[in-house]
Amino acid sequence: MLKKFSEFIEEGMWGSVLRRSNTSEERREDKDNTQYIDLGLPSGTLWAERNIGAAEPEEYGDFYAWGETEPKEEYTWYNYKWGEKSTKYNDKDGKTVLEPEDDVVYLKTKGVAHIPTIEQIQELLDNTTSKNQTINGVVGRLYKSKVNGNNIFLPFAGDCDYYMGGNLWSNYCSSSNFDKRNINYLYISRNTSDIFTTNRCDGFSVRGVKN
């Protein structure tokens, strides 16, 4: 029988690495019962314990193109909402961060959380240590706070452009636009966690944050 992430924590299977506090300050829930983890970040940002569309922290969840709010069968420039002829997030309006109506996390959580900005992703990388971890057969990366020992798990879900899902790497969407074709995103693999840019029409895993 597969164990829930919380059961691994309670049993101490990985020792202090998976220590979590049960205080209201460190574990808060939104209207969908998603728990938000206090990693002791300078900004006070809390990170959701699971991806949008996932029931458990190790599940991939759904994939979304940047600025779209529903998953789909195929992710290309031809069916992308904010493509070359879009009237928003272009050179004319100069918008570089998603507005709430185009933020899938904001909509799914009824305004409780949002897609992280690139600054919030960088803050996560700067203030945690990370290592590869496997939960219920799913490979991913565990990010542990340097301050309080709390942690989040990001599964290697791949993305949806040429490769549907995977267990070696993953791309996590940010709310920050790089230019009219590309976005900033978090790339994680067995060997690295870093910020890169890629086509914003690709399908990404999405993890919410709460300020």
Side-chain angles (χ1 to χ4, degrees):
M1 182 173 121
L2 296 180
K3 292 179 179 292
K4 292 185 177 181
F5 190 66
S6 59
E7 291 175 334
F8 283 108
I9 298 167
E10 291 167 3
E11 293 177 7
M13 184 169 290
W14 297 315
S16 61
V17 173
L18 291 179
R19 184 182 63 80
R20 294 264 186 89
S21 170
N22 290 318
T23 66
S24 59
E25 289 300 313
E26 294 184 344
R27 304 193 75 178
R28 308 174 190 179
E29 297 183 354
D30 66 15
K31 297 175 183 178
D32 296 316
N33 296 319
T34 297
Q35 294 177 337
Y36 291 84
I37 310 304
D38 178 9
L39 298 170
L41 303 177
S43 69
T45 297
L46 307 178
W47 280 74
E49 67 168 354
R50 52 188 165 91
N51 291 346
I52 291 293
E56 298 293 340
E58 69 271 21
E59 293 181 5
Y60 294 168
D62 295 322
F63 294 83
Y64 299 89
W66 189 84
E68 295 187 348
T69 57
E70 295 295 335
K72 53 191 181 183
E73 293 294 324
E74 187 178 21
Y75 296 81
T76 71
W77 281 108
Y78 300 106
N79 67 1
Y80 178 51
K81 181 178 181 179
W82 307 112
E84 295 289 350
K85 297 181 180 180
S86 71
T87 58
K88 197 174 184 181
Y89 306 116
N90 53 36
D91 293 337
K92 291 184 179 180
D93 66 20
K95 293 178 179 178
T96 59
V97 177
L98 287 175
E99 296 189 329
E101 62 264 31
D102 304 315
D103 185 323
V104 64
V105 175
Y106 184 89
L107 296 179
K108 297 292 185 183
T109 63
K110 297 179 173 59
V112 170
H114 60 87
I115 296 176
T117 64
I118 203 63
E119 290 80 14
Q120 288 173 317
I121 291 177
Q122 186 64 61
E123 181 185 50
L124 173 71
L125 299 181
D126 290 343
N127 292 276
T128 59
T129 59
S130 67
K131 71 172 187 175
N132 298 325
Q133 193 68 66
T134 300
I135 298 176
N136 287 329
V138 178
V139 185
R141 203 154 181 92
L142 189 76
Y143 293 83
K144 179 183 176 183
S145 170
K146 295 178 181 178
V147 175
N148 60 23
N150 293 338
N151 57 81
I152 59 171
F153 176 77
L154 299 182
F156 293 158
D159 71 7
C160 290
D161 54 357
Y162 304 108
Y163 184 74
M164 298 289 288
N167 63 357
L168 297 177
W169 58 279
S170 190
N171 294 337
Y172 281 82
C173 184
S174 82
S175 65
S176 307
N177 193 22
F178 181 75
D179 58 33
K180 66 180 181 180
R181 288 187 62 90
N182 300 292
I183 63 162
N184 296 300
Y185 72 99
L186 172 63
Y187 170 81
I188 64 173
S189 72
R190 292 180 183 273
N191 301 314
T192 188
S193 298
D194 210 343
I195 295 169
F196 294 99
T197 61
T198 193
N199 292 331
R200 65 188 195 182
C201 67
D202 295 347
F204 294 86
S205 297
V206 180
R207 181 68 63 98
V209 297
K210 183 161 60 172
N211 294 337

